[in-house]
């Protein structure tokens, strides 16, 4: 019986630690994520077709930022949804940027088979650090962030997203 109580106590302590961590993460989200975006706006990424993509060029208009990889099935599943959002909301000032957490060759090969109309940057493994700075401490994929025209984070989601969800984000942001 004592062993059962001890195991219950360990489980309770672990649960409390998890809740405490979640609360701390929410506080970080509320207080620090706005600061985290500052460094993002100074970054530059290679583009699959060549040239350089400066994130600063996206500042001033709302942006859906999506982190993805060719080896990530949910990432691939949501790309047509992101492309549809890009086509539908570009006239309203919305931009979409996909940052590939992948090597240049697989990204080029994938986009040759299934092109998208929105901008793609090659973030490579360094993209994990960018995701963490923007509120994804585990670095899971796909990860999508909506930033306002002021460059601050308004929405974020770990996991695949849909056109309807993105449209709702855009509507809630004005």
């Amino acid at each position: 019986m004592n062993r059962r109580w001890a195991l219950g106590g360990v489980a309770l302590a672990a649960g409390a630690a998890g809740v405490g961590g979640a609360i701390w993460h929410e506080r970080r989200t509320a207080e620090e994520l706005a600061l985290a975006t500052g460094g993002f706006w100074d970054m530059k990424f290679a583009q699959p077709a060549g040239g350089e993509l400066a994130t600063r060029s996206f500042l001033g208009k709302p942006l859906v930022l999506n982190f993805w990889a060719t080896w990530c099935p949910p990432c691939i599943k949501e790309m047509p949804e992101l492309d549809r959002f890009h086509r539908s909301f570009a006239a309203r000032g919305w931009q979409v940027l996909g940052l590939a957490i992948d090597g240049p060759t697989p990204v080029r090969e994938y986009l040759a088979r299934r092109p998208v109309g929105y901008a793609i940057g090659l973030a490579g493994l360094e993209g994990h650090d960018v995701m963490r700075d923007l509120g994804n401490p585990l670095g899971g994929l796909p990860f999508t962030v909506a930033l306002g025209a002021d460059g601050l984070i308004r929405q974020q989601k770990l996991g695949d997203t849909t056109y309807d969800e993105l449209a709702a984000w855009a509507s809630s942001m004005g």
Side-chain angles (χ1 to χ4, degrees):
M1 188 70 142
N2 286 339
R3 183 177 176 161
R4 195 177 307 174
W5 282 103
L7 288 174
V10 168
L12 182 62
V19 168
I23 291 169
W24 175 85
H25 177 68
E26 288 303 315
R27 187 170 326 149
R28 179 185 182 272
T29 300
E31 297 171 0
E32 296 176 5
L33 284 179
L35 296 174
T37 59
F40 170 76
W41 296 112
D42 294 325
M43 295 182 162
K44 296 179 181 176
F45 299 97
Q47 293 179 297
E52 190 173 69
L53 184 144
T55 55
R56 184 162 299 283
S57 67
F58 292 89
L59 197 52
K61 293 182 179 179
L63 171 68
V64 170
L65 174 62
N66 176 258
F67 293 87
W68 68 286
T70 60
W71 45 263
C72 167
C75 300
I76 300 308
K77 177 185 167 204
E78 75 179 351
M79 288 182 82
E81 300 287 303
L82 289 158
D83 202 35
R84 180 178 167 207
F85 175 83
H86 168 71
R87 288 189 318 271
S88 297
F89 281 79
R92 299 179 207 177
W94 278 86
Q95 307 167 99
V96 177
L97 170 59
L99 289 180
I101 313 298
D102 210 331
T105 301
V107 171
R108 285 185 194 110
E109 291 172 355
Y110 176 81
L111 293 173
R113 290 189 313 273
R114 295 190 181 106
V116 295
Y118 57 90
I120 299 287
L122 300 170
L125 293 177
E126 294 80 23
H128 284 287
D129 294 333
V130 178
M131 284 193 299
R132 284 185 192 97
D133 288 345
L134 296 177
N136 180 359
L138 300 177
L141 290 173
F143 179 60
T144 305
V145 179
L147 300 117
D150 57 4
L152 300 180
I153 295 172
R154 304 291 185 219
Q155 300 280 347
Q156 57 188 20
K157 181 181 179 186
L158 177 60
D160 57 324
T161 188
T162 65
Y163 171 85
D164 291 336
E165 187 171 28
L166 295 170
W169 286 6
S171 295
S172 73
M173 291 173 56

